[in-house]
Amino acid sequence: MDEALLRSLTPSVLAVLVRRGADFAAAEDAVQDALVEAVRVWPADPPRDAKGWLVTVAWRKFLDATRSDAARRRREDLVDEEPAAGPAAAADDTLQLYFLCAHPSLTPSSAVALTLRAVGGLTTRQIAQAYLVPEATMAQRISRAKRTVSDVRFDQPGNVATVLRVLYLVFNEGYSGDVDLAAEAIRLTRQLAAAIDHPEVAGLLALMLLHHARRATRTAPDGSLVPLAEQDRGRWDTEVIAEGVRILQAALARDRLGEFQAQAAIAALHADAPTAEETDWVQILEWYDELARLTHSPVVRLNRAVAVGEADGPRAGLAALAALDDSLPRHAAVAAYLHERDGELATAARLYAEAARKAPNLAERDHLTRQAARLNAHPRP
């Protein structure tokens, strides 16, 4: 059973059902039922046209689920209009579905959450981590979004900013290594950039490319994390970096700065440094100041504290960190790093251990645990 094929076809099949008049929640349920049926049937009897098969079965599941005695005649009319099984159009509807899910009746945060769950393939837990909220809170938000759109037709696409936010979060989840969604996010952002002349679309594409260019060096052969400063820069994909820089420069030249362009500028400065020691932290700090002004994000200010520590010394970084809520994700890890650079090894070891206990994934927890063990093994004066 080709699970990757099923995953790639799901958005297109869902889009077909929505265009035919199915409400979003019922269409999503019908597609899931069709996927279950595919897992059961395909190993013994694989179809010649996978998408056509899924569309046909999902549409039938939708009709079966919505048919009732009170509306039987109307539902029977829909059955008469059901197309016969056969080859389906090969058009990629995924990006269109992203726009449809970003419906004007939803708040931007609800639209993003709904799209990540229904189209992006992320779990409620992963979305909650991205938004820094409890999983139960995110589950309620997604449920409310489904109820909101259950009685509306998806004929008013959402705005570009919401779709960009979804693509950004999908890429970040794929880049984390939990699920491989990064390449798909880049593909869709390329499509969007080709269709829309928008500097923030270009900024997001540049950001994705600059990060993706060093993906192969982010983990060791045993799966352990490799920090940016320790990565083998000779293995970074220079062609992808060059493309990302070209796209970013063209976007910045339009003088309509947005958060994705600012993030891409920071990534470009890291990519431009031949070694970690030659990183231009002064410029990076200036871009973090711009990014903080644009976003007012506590996570941005947390990352800015690292840049302050590199540009002005660890004590300056710790002073910037002191102004932030210590419950922020990775706050303890940043504090540990800055304390280590300031020579406070016992404090750093304790904070690394604390950060490991709070780590959102196994790879990060193992990395932080090793950092704590390394410092604990260091002879004390």
Side-chain angles (χ1 to χ4, degrees), residues 111-134:
V112 170
L114 178 63
T115 312
L116 289 171
R117 182 72 183 92
V119 189
L122 273 63
T123 66
T124 303
R125 176 185 60 80
Q126 290 168 330
I127 302 169
Q129 288 177 348
Y131 272 88
L132 310 181
V133 299

Side-chain angles (χ1 to χ4, degrees), residues 217-300:
T217 66
R218 293 184 72 248
T219 55
D222 63 0
S224 59
L225 291 181
V226 179
L228 175 61
E230 299 173 19
Q231 291 174 13
D232 181 358
R233 299 179 181 227
R235 294 177 57 209
W236 288 359
D237 192 326
T238 54
E239 290 185 6
V240 174
I241 289 173
E243 181 187 7
V245 170
R246 286 196 304 271
I247 293 171
L248 172 62
Q249 289 174 338
L252 291 175
R254 302 180 63 175
D255 199 24
R256 289 169 54 193
L257 184 63
E259 63 173 294
F260 295 123
Q261 295 169 71
Q263 287 191 60
I266 293 169
L269 287 167
H270 281 298
D272 186 57
T275 66
E277 293 72 24
E278 296 174 87
T279 303
D280 190 341
W281 284 105
V282 173
Q283 277 202 66
I284 287 176
L285 178 56
E286 291 174 356
W287 278 111
Y288 267 119
D289 289 338
E290 289 286 350
L291 189 56
R293 178 183 62 80
L294 289 166
T295 66
H296 307 288
S297 165
V299 175
V300 168

Side-chain angles (χ1 to χ4, degrees), residues 17-319:
L17 266 64
V18 170
R19 286 202 302 268
R20 290 184 183 173
D23 69 77
F24 189 89
E28 186 182 14
D29 290 341
V31 171
Q32 292 300 317
D33 288 342
L35 294 175
V36 171
E37 188 72 2
V39 171
R40 186 182 68 84
V41 172
W42 285 11
D45 185 22
R48 283 177 292 184
D49 176 22
K51 180 180 175 182
W53 189 98
L54 285 172
V55 168
T56 300
V57 173
W59 185 247
R60 286 174 177 161
K61 296 288 185 183
F62 165 72
L63 295 179
D64 290 343
T66 56
R67 189 178 289 114
S68 67
D69 290 337
R72 184 172 299 277
R73 182 172 300 176
R74 183 170 63 87
R75 293 330 186 325
E76 287 175 350
D77 291 340
L78 290 174
V79 171
D80 293 337
E81 297 172 8
E82 180 186 342
D92 182 358
D93 301 307
T94 307
L95 190 58
Q96 179 190 11
L97 192 57
Y98 272 66
F99 272 95
L100 292 175
C101 286
H103 197 274
S105 64
L106 295 172
T107 64
S109 61
S110 294
V112 170
L114 178 63
T115 312
L116 289 171
R117 182 72 183 92
V119 189
L122 273 63
T123 66
T124 303
R125 176 185 60 80
Q126 290 168 330
I127 302 169
Q129 288 177 348
Y131 272 88
L132 310 181
V133 299
E135 183 175 351
T137 300
M138 183 53 65
Q140 292 174 355
R141 184 180 300 178
I142 294 171
S143 295
R144 285 196 300 268
K146 287 183 177 180
R147 288 196 298 270
T148 298
V149 301
S150 62
D151 295 325
V152 301
R153 289 191 60 83
F154 283 80
D155 53 1
Q156 302 179 63
N159 61 41
V160 174
T162 300
V163 173
L164 287 178
R165 178 63 52 188
V166 174
L167 290 169
Y168 173 67
L169 291 175
V170 169
F171 176 82
N172 279 349
E173 192 58 49
Y175 193 62
S176 75
D178 290 339
V179 284
D180 189 8
L181 296 169
E184 173 68 359
I186 291 174
R187 183 183 71 84
L188 292 173
T189 306
R190 283 191 187 278
Q191 286 187 6
L192 188 58
I196 300 177
D197 183 18
H198 191 297
E200 273 293 82
V201 177
L204 178 58
L205 179 57
L207 174 63
M208 290 178 174
L209 291 173
L210 288 164
H211 279 299
H212 207 61
R214 57 183 179 86
R215 184 174 187 179
T217 66
R218 293 184 72 248
T219 55
D222 63 0
S224 59
L225 291 181
V226 179
L228 175 61
E230 299 173 19
Q231 291 174 13
D232 181 358
R233 299 179 181 227
R235 294 177 57 209
W236 288 359
D237 192 326
T238 54
E239 290 185 6
V240 174
I241 289 173
E243 181 187 7
V245 170
R246 286 196 304 271
I247 293 171
L248 172 62
Q249 289 174 338
L252 291 175
R254 302 180 63 175
D255 199 24
R256 289 169 54 193
L257 184 63
E259 63 173 294
F260 295 123
Q261 295 169 71
Q263 287 191 60
I266 293 169
L269 287 167
H270 281 298
D272 186 57
T275 66
E277 293 72 24
E278 296 174 87
T279 303
D280 190 341
W281 284 105
V282 173
Q283 277 202 66
I284 287 176
L285 178 56
E286 291 174 356
W287 278 111
Y288 267 119
D289 289 338
E290 289 286 350
L291 189 56
R293 178 183 62 80
L294 289 166
T295 66
H296 307 288
S297 165
V299 175
V300 168
R301 292 197 292 271
L302 184 68
N303 292 330
R304 179 185 176 277
V306 176
V308 171
E310 298 290 354
D312 300 330
R315 294 194 178 181
L318 287 167

